[in-house]
Amino acid sequence: MIRRPPRSTPLYSSAASDVYKRQVHGIGFSEVPEGCTLDKAIELTKVPESANIPGMREMTKEDVPQVRALLSEYLKKFTLHPIYTEEGIAHLLLPRKDIVYTYVIADAEGRVTDFVSYHIVPYSVLKQEAECLSAYLFYYAPSKTSLVDLINAGLYRMMKGGVQIVALSDCMDNAQIIKELNFAWVGNCQQIYMYNYSFKYIPPSEMAVIFI
């Protein structure tokens, strides 16, 4: 049997809430860089404070058509991307407690100009009998707001809500924000395969299919 190589290999990075950083390192979710003390690692990965973005709120059912239009337009620039119906957007992105949280930014006329979403993944560390609530950056579409400000505002809201770790892969435009928002490399790598073997290798920056 011939094993085909993966079509893309996104790498994961994470940011931990300042309140939980020692616990996160203690359970082994995030590594302390070689030659760096724990205190120094915590300082280097301090989560930036969030600027207030006027008009930011949770997504509602009425926002589905506008969110779909925003996401569809944004994803066009990536080599591999999904095409969602309004039903698909509602299923994936409408906020559900402890599952998915989506925030939109609306202007004074009520038009949705940007959105960001996070998917919740709880962890249990069996040997240490510890619990860890994490969120993974899901789909987003910046338009009037910079990508860094958009992700940071969502990051701040998630951590204020009790999320201890926010993680993301370096697909889409995520690599642009990892350094500015002090995300640290986790060491995990996704291996993405396609049924269409004629696909050539796709760099993560050209990949817009998000797997949680």
Side-chain angles (χ1 to χ4, degrees):
M1 181 178 179
I2 300 175
R3 183 181 179 184
R4 302 281 180 175
R7 299 299 88 190
S8 192
T9 52
L11 299 174
Y12 273 105
S13 297
S14 70
S17 168
D18 294 335
V19 176
Y20 296 103
K21 272 198 170 71
R22 292 186 183 278
Q23 178 184 346
V24 167
H25 284 292
I27 64 176
F29 189 95
S30 184
E31 298 179 355
V32 176
E34 186 177 351
C36 188
T37 65
L38 177 57
D39 288 338
K40 185 63 175 178
I42 290 173
E43 181 62 29
L44 289 174
T45 57
K46 186 174 178 61
V47 177
E49 289 293 320
S50 174
N52 182 41
I53 299 181
M56 191 170 196
R57 57 171 173 77
E58 277 201 357
M59 178 184 174
T60 66
K61 187 176 181 180
E62 289 70 29
D63 298 323
V64 168
Q66 294 185 78
V67 168
R68 176 181 180 268
L70 276 172
L71 183 61
S72 298
E73 184 62 31
Y74 183 69
L75 294 183
K76 286 179 181 178
K77 67 178 186 175
F78 300 104
T79 301
L80 182 64
H81 65 268
I83 299 174
Y84 288 116
T85 62
E86 288 189 7
E87 291 77 11
I89 290 295
H91 174 72
L92 284 175
L93 298 181
L94 278 178
R96 283 170 284 168
K97 183 176 172 58
D98 297 332
I99 298 176
V100 62
Y101 292 88
T102 302
Y103 302 101
V104 301
I105 298 174
D107 62 18
E109 285 72 41
R111 292 187 297 265
V112 175
T113 59
D114 314 81
F115 85 89
V116 60
S117 59
Y118 296 85
H119 209 288
I120 301 299
V121 181
Y123 286 96
S124 294
V125 186
L126 299 181
K127 291 184 179 180
Q128 300 187 32
E129 297 183 356
E131 301 291 330
C132 181
L133 185 62
S134 67
Y136 282 76
L137 179 62
F138 204 26
Y139 284 108
Y140 54 79
S143 176
K144 302 298 184 181
T145 306
S146 75
L147 178 60
V148 170
D149 287 345
L150 177 64
I151 303 302
N152 190 41
L155 178 73
Y156 186 78
R157 282 177 175 244
M158 294 306 298
M159 290 186 172
K160 281 293 186 181
V163 167
Q164 296 157 267
I165 301 169
V166 174
L168 76 167
S169 67
D170 60 349
C171 63
M172 296 174 60
D173 287 326
N174 294 353
Q176 298 178 19
I177 64 172
I178 288 174
K179 183 176 181 179
E180 291 193 52
L181 295 184
N182 293 330
F183 280 75
W185 182 55
V186 174
N188 295 335
C189 173
Q190 277 188 323
Q191 295 192 359
I192 297 174
Y193 295 84
M194 303 292 173
Y195 283 109
N196 186 345
Y197 292 145
S198 66
F199 258 104
K200 295 182 179 180
Y201 180 81
I202 302 171
S205 62
E206 297 178 16
M207 175 83 166
V209 180
I210 309 297
F211 298 94
I212 301 297

